[in-house]
Amino acid sequence: MDRKQVLRIYSRFLDKNNHEKEDLIVKTLSILERLAQVVKKHPKRIAFADLNKNYTYIQLWQGISGVANKLNKEFSGKNPVLIYGANDFDMLVAMLGVNAAGQAYIPVDEHTPDSRVRLIIDSSKPVAIIVVSAKNMDDFNGKLFKGYPVFFLEDFDYQSELTTISLEEAVRGEDTNYLIYTSGTTGAPKGVEVSHQNLLSFTEWMLCDFKSIEENQVLLQAPFSFDLSIFSLYPALLSGGTLVSLSKEETSNFKKLFERLNTTEINTWISTPSFVDICLIDPSFTEKNHPKLEQFIFCGEELTVRVAGKLLEKFPNSVVWNTYGPTEATGAVTSVQVTADLLEEYQRLPIGKAKAGVEIRIHDPETKQPVSLGEQGEIVIVGDSVARGYYRNSEKTIEVFGVIDGKPAYYTGDAGRIDTTGQLLYQGRIDFQVKMNGYRIELQDIESHLSSFAAIEKAIVLPQMDYDQRVRSLIAVIVPKEEVNNEREFGKLIREGLKGKIMDYMMPARFILMEEFPLNKNGKVDRNVLTEKLIEQR
Ligand code: AMP
């Protein structure tokens, strides 16, 4: 049966309320075809709510149609489209509109430094750029996107009454759905290429294995340029739920954040553990004040016993999930429900068991061979969640992507082991990647920018941990080329220089100067000794 037949049959069944067959046929549809059915069933439901405005499913579809129809006229082929803007409804429309036109989207936050945006453009060579918003639209400098066709929202027949679009061209199957750029060791970000099939597998898992809630109001906290955002976006939209979106202004101002949360009726909370830890400061963040908040889903960094325990104390009847996965394996691939028993049993919470379609293996990082059961090694993810690789970057792709038993595999760089109950335990990194407040940072990314400064001979960036063993800040240790008279002034200049090159959250809190780094017996900089020295100096 071809897709057109499936669609025809599907719409017949929809009207007849035959749920069993409906389910069966829905499974063969693409993400946008499923969204089209939700729009048809619930046109007036709220799809997206921010502080100021609610947007219905029909408004979402009108926007998608406007973007897709225009792009279909202008371009063909499967090259990606870069979308530049904030975490708002318009950006969502642009992303889905691009997919409806058959292209992959690259979400880039408007707060990304220009030089980094340029690296992303140079690496992805987008067929077009859509500027949804810019930090200062009046001052918008098109130079950044020189050489590429640029569209603004006004270019699309955006609020058109036209709601029918052909999804014949839309992204489906093994097509690339999106590219998300993450920190890279060389200073240039890497674009993880995620297929429609990867995303569909993730979305189905979320809809099947987690608590299903009618008219689910789902928190959208993560920027679209981070893969945590897909936890909210696709499961909410494909089940007719509402995305309750927080702006950057709200997430970066506690007062505004707590005020806004108190006006929402969120059912499913999705965030990093660091974010909920901030919300737990607010005494009104309790089950009594948020009786509809039934489910918490965490990913992106370690969920500590302290944070999970505090949360269960404040929301004793809710379901709390710890999930684990890198952008390279589409959102998450393992999950475990955190209960009071689990908190008793483990000092460091497990990250759970694999989703359907995925197998977790533990390999020796040197030999790349499986270790014995229960032994520690590198976590390797095998199966249908593993992304294609890094876009136009075969060198980096070969380093960490592979094939095991005929299935795609990703070598995560995470250390872990599987315990006797089958739970996967996370045990840190085997390289220099860190997570700070949920943000993924390659320390070498910052180091390579520092080393490019004329005044710096070499530089090392070290994480500073808190009592929970979480990274609280970064310290840059620098060997200058020439003697420095005013260390403070020097640090200030370096900070200024870094500003246009790295994301805000990557900025070291301190710059410390040294004459030479301690070396280990292999002649490499001994980061452990350096860390101890810094602790002594404090
Ligand atoms: P990202 O690609 O930004 O999602 O970051 C992926 C990395 O975050 C993983 O490789 C882990 O190092 C870390 N991570 C994600 N989820 C968890 C978790 N539940 N517990 C511990 N670390 C996690």
Side-chain angles (χ1 to χ4, degrees):
M1 208 173 355
D2 72 11
R3 303 199 66 78
K4 272 191 188 150
Q5 279 171 301
V6 169
L7 276 171
R8 221 174 301 128
I9 296 171
Y10 175 64
S11 44
R12 263 209 327 264
F13 281 123
L14 248 186
D15 298 339
K16 286 192 181 151
N17 255 347
N18 185 335
H19 294 304
E20 212 174 285
K21 285 197 176 147
E22 191 178 300
D23 275 0
L24 198 87
I25 293 167
V26 165
K27 284 203 162 35
T28 68
L29 300 179
S30 73
I31 288 174
L32 279 164
E33 284 163 352
R34 291 176 199 212
L35 180 59
Q37 300 305 332
V38 174
V39 176
K40 201 164 154 192
K41 269 189 180 174
H42 310 293
K44 300 231 166 92
R45 257 200 208 164
I46 307 298
F48 191 98
D50 63 25
L51 174 66
N52 303 312
K53 211 169 159 187
N54 292 336
Y55 302 86
T56 61
Y57 271 90
I58 197 73
Q59 284 174 310
L60 176 65
W61 200 254
Q62 281 168 345
I64 294 172
S65 315
V67 174
N69 284 326
K70 171 88 176 171
L71 291 180
N72 271 335
K73 262 191 232 140
E74 307 264 338
F75 306 103
S76 59
K78 300 280 175 196
N79 279 357
V81 175
L82 188 140
I83 307 175
Y84 185 79
N87 237 38
D88 54 18
F89 177 71
D90 294 334
M91 181 104 169
L92 175 64
V93 163
M95 284 164 22
L96 296 177
V98 163
N99 277 168
Q103 274 110 3
Y105 63 80
I106 310 170
V108 177
D109 192 89
E110 60 181 356
H111 295 94
T112 311
D114 286 359
S115 67
R116 211 166 175 86
V117 176
R118 199 63 221 183
L119 286 172
I120 295 176
I121 294 174
D122 290 346
S123 129
S124 59
K125 310 229 175 326
V127 67
I129 292 169
I130 301 178
V131 180
V132 177
S133 63
K135 264 170 293 175
N136 187 349
M137 208 63 184
D138 296 336
D139 246 16
F140 177 71
N141 184 352
K143 242 174 41 199
L144 179 59
F145 303 129
K146 207 162 160 239
Y148 290 87
V150 176
F151 293 91
F152 296 91
L153 276 190
E154 308 83 87
D155 296 329
F156 303 107
D157 190 7
Y158 192 65
Q159 262 113 46
S160 76
E161 289 304 306
L162 184 72
T163 55
T164 46
I165 36 167
S166 153
L167 290 177
E168 280 297 295
E169 296 300 322
V171 163
R172 66 177 69 251
E174 292 303 328
D175 292 346
T176 304
N177 206 98
Y178 61 76
L179 306 182
I180 281 188
Y181 275 79
T182 69
S183 179
T185 49
T186 57
K190 302 172 293 193
V192 182
E193 189 179 358
V194 172
S195 75
H196 169 270
Q197 211 48 48
N198 292 147
L199 183 58
L200 194 56
S201 169
F202 168 77
T203 308
E204 280 178 350
W205 173 62
M206 288 286 290
L207 291 174
C208 288
D209 282 26
F210 296 80
K211 193 169 179 182
S212 117
I213 299 169
E214 252 314 288
E215 301 197 35
N216 202 354
Q217 303 238 356
V218 182
L219 176 67
L220 173 63
Q221 170 254 328
F224 295 140
S225 48
F226 284 91
D227 117 307
L228 183 61
S229 63
I230 68 166
F231 281 71
S232 307
L233 290 183
Y234 293 94
L237 293 179
L238 296 198
S239 61
T242 300
L243 290 160
V244 179
S245 163
L246 300 178
S247 65
K248 192 172 164 72
E249 286 66 45
E250 287 165 318
T251 52
S252 49
N253 178 320
F254 288 4
K255 190 166 171 280
K256 283 190 185 161
L257 173 65
F258 299 159
E259 270 171 18
R260 172 80 196 287
L261 286 177
N262 280 329
T263 66
T264 62
E265 297 204 321
I266 294 165
N267 307 112
T268 297
W269 180 283
I270 291 166
S271 79
T272 56
S274 295
F275 184 72
V276 88
D277 200 14
I278 292 170
C279 298
L280 284 165
I281 298 171
D282 180 9
S284 69
F285 190 59
T286 59
E287 191 166 279
K288 190 163 161 274
N289 292 323
H290 296 273
K292 298 210 167 144
L293 193 35
E294 296 176 42
Q295 170 164 244
F296 291 86
I297 302 174
F298 297 107
C299 195
E301 63 183 348
E302 189 156 352
L303 175 64
T304 60
V305 167
R306 181 186 65 79
V307 171
K310 212 157 124 195
L311 189 64
L312 276 173
E313 237 174 73
K314 290 203 169 194
F315 291 86
N317 294 302
S318 68
V319 181
V320 176
W321 298 95
N322 187 18
T323 75
Y324 155 86
T327 308
E328 287 85 342
T330 324
V333 289
T334 67
S335 68
V336 58
Q337 191 185 333
V338 182
T339 57
D341 285 350
L342 202 80
L343 289 175
E344 280 272 298
E345 204 178 324
Y346 290 92
Q347 284 183 333
R348 211 169 168 181
L349 288 176
I351 51 179
K353 296 183 180 174
K355 72 182 255 297
V358 158
E359 189 196 338
I360 298 291
R361 299 199 175 197
I362 307 293
H363 282 203
D364 181 316
E366 297 297 326
T367 64
K368 303 273 177 216
Q369 292 306 308
V371 297
S372 313
L373 200 68
E375 252 183 60
Q376 181 176 320
E378 180 178 13
I379 301 175
V380 183
I381 300 170
V382 186
D384 68 3
S385 293
V386 174
R388 302 216 154 140
Y390 301 116
Y391 192 64
R392 293 179 188 263
N393 192 340
S394 52
E395 200 183 308
K396 288 278 167 210
T397 301
I398 290 164
E399 275 176 25
V400 286
F401 286 89
V403 176
I404 294 178
D405 294 342
K407 293 181 193 143
Y410 173 63
Y411 295 80
T412 62
D414 289 324
R417 70 181 182 85
I418 297 176
D419 74 7
T420 49
T421 65
Q423 289 288 349
L424 180 59
L425 306 174
Y426 172 81
Q427 296 174 308
R429 293 285 305 174
I430 60 172
D431 58 13
F432 304 120
Q433 182 182 298
V434 297
K435 275 287 173 127
M436 188 163 67
N437 297 326
Y439 292 116
R440 170 169 160 176
I441 304 168
E442 294 284 356
L443 298 176
Q444 289 149 304
D445 188 341
I446 310 165
E447 287 166 9
S448 72
H449 285 292
L450 284 169
S451 306
S452 71
F453 292 156
I456 293 179
E457 179 69 37
K458 48 194 171 184
I460 290 283
V461 178
L462 297 172
Q464 199 172 26
M465 317 303 260
D466 70 5
Y467 49 89
D468 258 348
Q469 284 310 300
R470 292 181 308 184
V471 179
R472 268 294 141 248
S473 60
L474 300 177
I475 300 179
V477 192
I478 292 168
V479 175
K481 278 227 172 90
E482 285 165 14
E483 203 182 325
V484 171
N485 295 326
N486 187 335
E487 201 166 312
R488 255 185 103 150
E489 206 44 46
F490 185 82
K492 243 166 113 181
L493 284 174
I494 298 298
R495 181 185 299 276
E496 275 309 306
L498 272 181
K499 256 187 195 157
K501 296 188 176 341
I502 57 170
M503 303 297 288
D504 287 355
Y505 58 78
M506 292 178 162
M507 186 61 79
R510 284 165 60 203
F511 296 89
I512 292 176
L513 302 190
M514 265 187 184
E515 274 174 24
E516 205 31 90
F517 290 145
L519 301 182
N520 63 20
K521 60 179 187 319
N522 300 326
K524 289 187 181 171
V525 177
D526 197 326
R527 287 174 186 256
N528 294 336
V529 172
L530 204 49
T531 307
E532 278 161 25
K533 270 193 168 187
L534 291 183
I535 294 172
E536 279 166 22
Q537 277 179 18
R538 259 202 275 162

